[in-house]
Amino acid sequence: MALETPTRARKRERPGSKNTAGLDLDELRKLWLKPLWLVLSDAFTDEPRTQIVPHIWKWSDVRPRILEAGRRISAEEAERRVLMYLNPGLNGAPGATQTLFSGVQLIMPGEIAPTHRHVPSALRVVIEGNGAYTTVSGEKTLMRPGDFVTTPNWAWHDHGNETDEPMMWLDGLDMPFVLALNAMFYEELGDGYDIQPVTRELDDSQTRYNRGFRPHRDAFAGNYSPILNYRYAEVRETLALMERAGDALSEEEGVMLDYINPLTGGPTLPTIDAHAQLIRPGEHTRAVRDTASRLYFVLDGRGASIIGGQRLEWEKGDTFCAPTWAWREHRVASSDAPAVLFSFDDAPIQKPFSFYRRQALLEGDGHQSSL
Ligand code: GTQ
Ligand code: FE2
């Protein structure tokens, strides 16, 4: 007899058994044993559950505080002068979501952040300042507002500011994920190498790989993008063209592009996918949810998002997070300029194991009712 596989599981009340069946739980506990049936429905939930809550870090709150930190602690003492963005659901543990760390970093004129490397992959998006540098694996790049810069796993990196204005950027790392796996390693390049030797031309990787070319018989074998810096000016150009062409208009995401590794077409970092999207004046995107957790950074403009039923008003420089499986939708008023949102998510961690799911809200008008 052939068994039919139901395409839709029937919904039923989960029993959530409290029946200890006369077993001696204390005795079992001493033996590090416990009946699964007592906790089954807490672990095997029908849908994802998360401690992470939607939250917005307003640039108007953050900016004066990171500048104050700049007056009170030297880069030398801090090593990395960063104010972390903590998710209110994590009880103070570092992390903006369960897998992603974020924060704002400040480097004052004349300062350096010494060379080190670590297991977590990192990305930066420049908020303010012009021309401070980061050097990754011997390649230096001068960073401008909106630029997206990657620092792969275990790559030597240092930062410095040889300009006369402060430089502030958003950091994004998969650090909570690495910590959850107990897989952290960290080391410094050490004495005399606070600034690592620059061994490649300025923007070597952009010229090599970001023009539809690749060196013949290229030996690059990293599981990350070889491109160090993705310029915001080019992102704006591409988004503008996509908008004019009327293509790639996803109801859920407006006009959106992915930052890719040109060698694979996949994400720039093995654990983190990054995107930029244009929300046009008068646009209200259809609600969508997926199993990835993510952070949004407002590159330009202003608007509002409803994340998990919570309305977050945002403007340039703000950062906000969307928990796993929370409906999210974005809106820009017709009287406002187009807005550009940068976002990064942990989908690449989930996809290889078939954990990733995505769903658009098809009921009603495709919007949540906001609180
Ligand atoms: O700039 O290298 O926000 O190593 C956290 C850890 C930034 C960095 C962070 C880091 C860095
Ligand atoms: Fe680092």
Side-chain angles (χ1 to χ4, degrees):
M1 190 180 70
L3 278 176
E4 268 209 286
T5 308
T7 52
R8 256 186 84 111
R10 260 183 314 123
K11 289 272 177 214
R12 69 172 178 103
E13 276 303 302
R14 303 279 298 271
S17 181
K18 295 282 171 282
N19 186 355
T20 59
L23 293 170
D24 185 340
L25 292 187
D26 284 337
E27 183 196 61
L28 289 175
R29 192 177 300 127
K30 285 180 199 135
L31 295 167
W32 296 100
L33 298 168
K34 184 170 181 169
L36 172 63
W37 63 86
L38 296 179
V39 296
L40 190 65
S41 61
D42 296 331
F44 291 83
T45 57
D46 294 354
E47 294 191 345
R49 281 196 201 155
T50 180
Q51 304 166 259
I52 302 305
V53 295
H55 187 75
I56 185 162
W57 296 268
K58 299 291 293 176
W59 186 232
S60 57
D61 291 330
V62 174
R63 188 178 188 279
R65 270 99 188 173
I66 185 69
L67 287 171
E68 185 189 356
R71 291 188 292 273
R72 290 178 182 269
I73 188 162
S74 66
E76 197 176 1
E77 195 185 342
E79 284 186 51
R80 261 41 182 183
R81 190 195 286 111
V82 173
L83 281 181
M84 299 188 286
Y85 289 171
L86 299 187
N87 191 282
L90 284 176
N91 299 314
T97 79
Q98 74 281 11
T99 50
L100 299 170
F101 167 101
S102 194
V104 60
Q105 180 159 176
L106 165 66
I107 306 212
M108 296 299 287
E111 289 183 338
I112 61 153
T115 314
H116 70 195
R117 62 181 177 178
H118 37 66
V119 168
S121 302
L123 61 86
R124 339 249 166 223
V125 180
V126 178
I127 308 174
E128 272 186 46
N130 218 317
Y133 69 84
T134 188
T135 305
V136 180
S137 305
E139 179 180 354
K140 183 174 180 174
T141 187
L142 304 180
M143 297 182 284
R144 300 195 277 265
D147 285 0
F148 166 68
V149 176
T150 57
T151 306
N153 158 296
W154 212 235
W156 292 115
H157 55 288
D158 60 289
H159 322 299
N161 187 351
E162 295 164 330
T163 76
D164 53 14
E165 43 180 331
M167 163 67 76
M168 286 171 269
W169 64 67
L170 185 80
D171 280 321
L173 289 89
D174 57 10
M175 182 186 81
F177 177 60
V178 173
L179 289 176
L181 297 179
N182 297 351
M184 181 67 80
F185 287 94
Y186 169 96
E187 68 184 22
E188 281 159 18
L189 191 51
D191 284 349
Y193 290 98
D194 279 355
I195 299 174
Q196 72 176 292
V198 174
T199 57
R200 299 162 74 186
E201 265 186 47
L202 209 60
D203 295 330
D204 174 294
S205 64
Q206 282 174 62
T207 313
R208 240 176 239 274
Y209 293 101
N210 213 7
R211 298 178 168 186
F213 306 141
R214 175 185 192 173
H216 183 59
R217 297 184 48 135
D218 183 29
F220 182 85
N223 64 350
Y224 51 87
S225 171
I227 298 168
L228 176 55
N229 190 344
Y230 294 75
R231 296 288 181 191
Y232 185 45
E234 295 178 10
V235 168
R236 285 306 299 249
E237 258 179 49
T238 301
L239 288 175
L241 177 126
M242 287 167 68
E243 186 194 4
R244 281 197 306 277
D247 68 341
L249 300 185
S250 137
E251 256 196 311
E252 289 104 35
E253 305 286 11
V255 180
M256 189 176 202
L257 59 78
D258 307 330
Y259 295 84
I260 59 154
N261 173 346
L263 303 183
T264 63
T268 58
L269 294 166
T271 46
I272 307 176
D273 209 352
H275 320 271
Q277 70 197 104
L278 187 78
I279 313 290
R280 293 156 294 170
E283 184 159 15
H284 186 170
T285 62
R286 179 182 290 282
V288 63
R289 62 181 178 179
D290 66 358
T291 52
S293 65
R294 54 176 44 73
L295 279 114
Y296 290 94
F297 170 73
V298 185
L299 281 164
D300 269 306
R302 60 177 173 166
S305 299
I306 305 170
I307 310 287
Q310 215 167 301
R311 188 183 167 86
L312 306 173
E313 306 267 352
W314 42 257
E315 62 195 332
K316 187 172 173 156
D318 293 351
T319 301
F320 57 99
C321 64
T324 296
W325 212 234
W327 293 111
R328 50 196 165 80
E329 59 192 85
H330 314 294
R331 177 162 219 179
V332 167
S334 18
S335 51
D336 277 332
V340 183
L341 297 175
F342 171 84
S343 61
F344 62 101
D345 64 57
D346 59 4
I349 302 173
Q350 303 189 356
K351 286 179 175 168
F353 308 104
S354 308
F355 297 168
Y356 183 78
R357 297 188 189 201
R358 181 180 185 278
Q359 185 180 41
L361 184 62
L362 299 176
E363 287 84 28
D365 61 358
H367 301 310
Q368 311 156 74
S369 48
S370 71
L371 298 178

